[in-house]
Amino acid sequence: TVPPRVGVAIGDQVLDLQLAAAQCPWAEEVYPLLEPLAAGDLAAFMALGRPAWQLLRAALSAALAEDSDQGPFLELCLHPQAGLAMLMPCTVRDYTDFYIGIHHATAIGQMLRPTHPLLPNYKWLPIGYHGRASSVGLGGPLRRPRGQIRLAADAPPVYTPTRRLDYEMELGLWVGVGNPAGEPVDMAEAEDRIFGVTLLNDWSARDLQSWEYQPLGPFLSKSFATSVSPWLVSLDALAPFRRPLQRPEGDPAPLAYLDSPANRAHGSFGITLEVWLQTARMRAARLPAVRLSQADMAEAAYWTPAQLLAHHSSNGCPLATGDLFGTGTLSGPGPGQGGSLMELSRGGREPLQLPGGEQRCFLEDGDTVALRAYCEAPGAVRIGLGAVAGTVIGA
Ligand code: MN
């Protein structure tokens, strides 16, 4: 087996950083930055901090520019992406899933509490729960989980495969630099701790969830699998797609530890997220995948990445390199913008019609769910965040 390599995606190719460190001439200060990457250790590079990330990003951009002297060397360091097996970016140290999609929280809340869908804390702090790091992977086959389900309101629960398997369309934020216990990170520094962004599918078993979630939040309804995309996109690469943090008129201003002028001006990101579904029957009939969900992070998210990191550390909780935050389901406000089947099928009451005549309220065995995301802005080169896909297999 070949030892793991770290690479940079360039179109449909990958720049192999082990080869690039060995075969291409670099400025003196670039070698120490390439060293952990050439050794296949992305986490060690993440721990170096944002000045190092920015320096290497600038060095790579210059080396890959059209008239660069390094171009002929780098040509020899490219592999076609199609021939490579992807690995996790790094070990997930710990995993927290937030709930910052306000249209998602409102839609789910409306099913439970029609008169007051959002709880009083929602607009004051980013809600989250502690997820399970060991279940985070790159997708692939997903075994339908079993668990305790109550089939009728007055019946005892049974242990059985979930009947309400769902996806959640989220982004993953990867911590590059942590903080010592007892030392909260200020808003001014919060973004400097975030190395990059991936796609994240928080697979959910809604029938397990509704029975188990009170009073301490989701547990086994979430911890069987969470899928992320393999490519990390840095916040610096996302700079052309920054957006102001938008709050409706009359909403409370964030407390000082969650606020900064920079965060208000450009702390959010315009990232379009999509979920695509292809059932086994569609695959057999050669019908392409159908898009179920589409939403934009800047419109969906009530809190920014910086606020998530500042809040998470605000009690002194130590964060560390390789910590992963899920944003929570990023649903838009309109029809077709729900980031989960729970929303799109209105709690399982209104089935979706699929090409080929099938219907879905929740996922069935053989269904393939793929998340994609991209950023577009006038005058900026379009960025893709890659994809993450999983296929449900029977319990
Ligand atoms: Mn979630």
Side-chain angles (χ1 to χ4, degrees), residues 97-98 129 168 170 202 222 328-329:
D97 196 25
F98 285 96
Y129 68 93
E168 291 193 338
E170 306 192 18
D202 175 22
K222 303 281 194 171
T329 309

mmCIF file of all heavy atoms in Angstrom, residues 97-98 129 168 170 202 222 328-329, ligand 1:
data_model
loop_
_atom_site.group_PDB
_atom_site.id
_atom_site.type_symbol
_atom_site.label_atom_id
_atom_site.label_comp_id
_atom_site.label_asym_id
_atom_site.label_seq_id
_atom_site.Cartn_x
_atom_site.Cartn_y
_atom_site.Cartn_z
ATOM 1 N N ASP A 97 -22.073 19.255 16.747
ATOM 2 C CA ASP A 97 -22.993 19.667 15.689
ATOM 3 C C ASP A 97 -23.858 20.810 16.204
ATOM 4 O O ASP A 97 -24.484 20.698 17.256
ATOM 5 C CB ASP A 97 -23.866 18.485 15.253
ATOM 6 C CG ASP A 97 -24.552 18.752 13.914
ATOM 7 O OD1 ASP A 97 -24.030 19.571 13.122
ATOM 8 O OD2 ASP A 97 -25.606 18.154 13.658
ATOM 9 N N PHE A 98 -23.854 21.917 15.452
ATOM 10 C CA PHE A 98 -24.657 23.082 15.814
ATOM 11 C C PHE A 98 -26.030 23.005 15.136
ATOM 12 O O PHE A 98 -26.373 21.988 14.488
ATOM 13 C CB PHE A 98 -23.909 24.364 15.428
ATOM 14 C CG PHE A 98 -22.768 24.698 16.357
ATOM 15 C CD1 PHE A 98 -21.462 24.316 16.051
ATOM 16 C CD2 PHE A 98 -22.994 25.383 17.544
ATOM 17 C CE1 PHE A 98 -20.413 24.617 16.906
ATOM 18 C CE2 PHE A 98 -21.952 25.685 18.400
ATOM 19 C CZ PHE A 98 -20.656 25.306 18.078
ATOM 20 N N TYR A 129 -24.909 20.342 20.105
ATOM 21 C CA TYR A 129 -24.808 19.160 20.963
ATOM 22 C C TYR A 129 -23.488 18.467 20.644
ATOM 23 O O TYR A 129 -22.900 18.685 19.589
ATOM 24 C CB TYR A 129 -25.993 18.196 20.765
ATOM 25 C CG TYR A 129 -26.014 17.515 19.409
ATOM 26 C CD1 TYR A 129 -25.412 16.266 19.215
ATOM 27 C CD2 TYR A 129 -26.601 18.131 18.318
ATOM 28 C CE1 TYR A 129 -25.413 15.653 17.970
ATOM 29 C CE2 TYR A 129 -26.599 17.529 17.066
ATOM 30 C CZ TYR A 129 -26.003 16.286 16.907
ATOM 31 O OH TYR A 129 -26.005 15.698 15.665
ATOM 32 N N GLU A 168 -29.030 15.381 6.533
ATOM 33 C CA GLU A 168 -29.023 16.806 6.882
ATOM 34 C C GLU A 168 -27.905 17.476 6.098
ATOM 35 O O GLU A 168 -26.746 17.056 6.161
ATOM 36 C CB GLU A 168 -28.837 17.013 8.391
ATOM 37 C CG GLU A 168 -30.054 16.545 9.182
ATOM 38 C CD GLU A 168 -30.067 16.996 10.640
ATOM 39 O OE1 GLU A 168 -28.990 17.314 11.178
ATOM 40 O OE2 GLU A 168 -31.167 17.018 11.226
ATOM 41 N N GLU A 170 -25.325 20.050 5.560
ATOM 42 C CA GLU A 170 -24.579 20.934 6.460
ATOM 43 C C GLU A 170 -23.186 21.219 5.884
ATOM 44 O O GLU A 170 -22.722 20.546 4.970
ATOM 45 C CB GLU A 170 -24.386 20.271 7.843
ATOM 46 C CG GLU A 170 -25.686 19.799 8.481
ATOM 47 C CD GLU A 170 -25.544 19.422 9.949
ATOM 48 O OE1 GLU A 170 -24.542 19.831 10.590
ATOM 49 O OE2 GLU A 170 -26.445 18.723 10.453
ATOM 50 N N ASP A 202 -25.178 14.952 8.097
ATOM 51 C CA ASP A 202 -25.483 14.428 9.434
ATOM 52 C C ASP A 202 -26.683 13.480 9.299
ATOM 53 O O ASP A 202 -27.829 13.868 9.499
ATOM 54 C CB ASP A 202 -25.794 15.612 10.362
ATOM 55 C CG ASP A 202 -26.238 15.175 11.744
ATOM 56 O OD1 ASP A 202 -25.919 14.040 12.139
ATOM 57 O OD2 ASP A 202 -26.898 15.980 12.424
ATOM 58 N N LYS A 222 -28.110 9.969 15.814
ATOM 59 C CA LYS A 222 -27.133 10.695 15.000
ATOM 60 C C LYS A 222 -25.777 9.990 14.949
ATOM 61 O O LYS A 222 -25.014 10.199 14.016
ATOM 62 C CB LYS A 222 -26.899 12.083 15.613
ATOM 63 C CG LYS A 222 -28.135 12.935 15.766
ATOM 64 C CD LYS A 222 -28.516 13.561 14.451
ATOM 65 C CE LYS A 222 -29.528 14.672 14.657
ATOM 66 N NZ LYS A 222 -29.730 15.423 13.414
ATOM 67 N N GLY A 328 -25.133 22.501 11.392
ATOM 68 C CA GLY A 328 -26.579 22.290 11.475
ATOM 69 C C GLY A 328 -27.153 22.403 10.074
ATOM 70 O O GLY A 328 -26.488 22.926 9.151
ATOM 71 N N THR A 329 -28.344 21.886 9.904
ATOM 72 C CA THR A 329 -28.972 21.825 8.589
ATOM 73 C C THR A 329 -29.186 23.228 8.030
ATOM 74 O O THR A 329 -29.802 24.069 8.676
ATOM 75 C CB THR A 329 -30.325 21.098 8.694
ATOM 76 O OG1 THR A 329 -30.113 19.872 9.379
ATOM 77 C CG2 THR A 329 -30.899 20.826 7.322
HETATM 78 MN MN MN B 1 -27.323 18.096 12.294
#
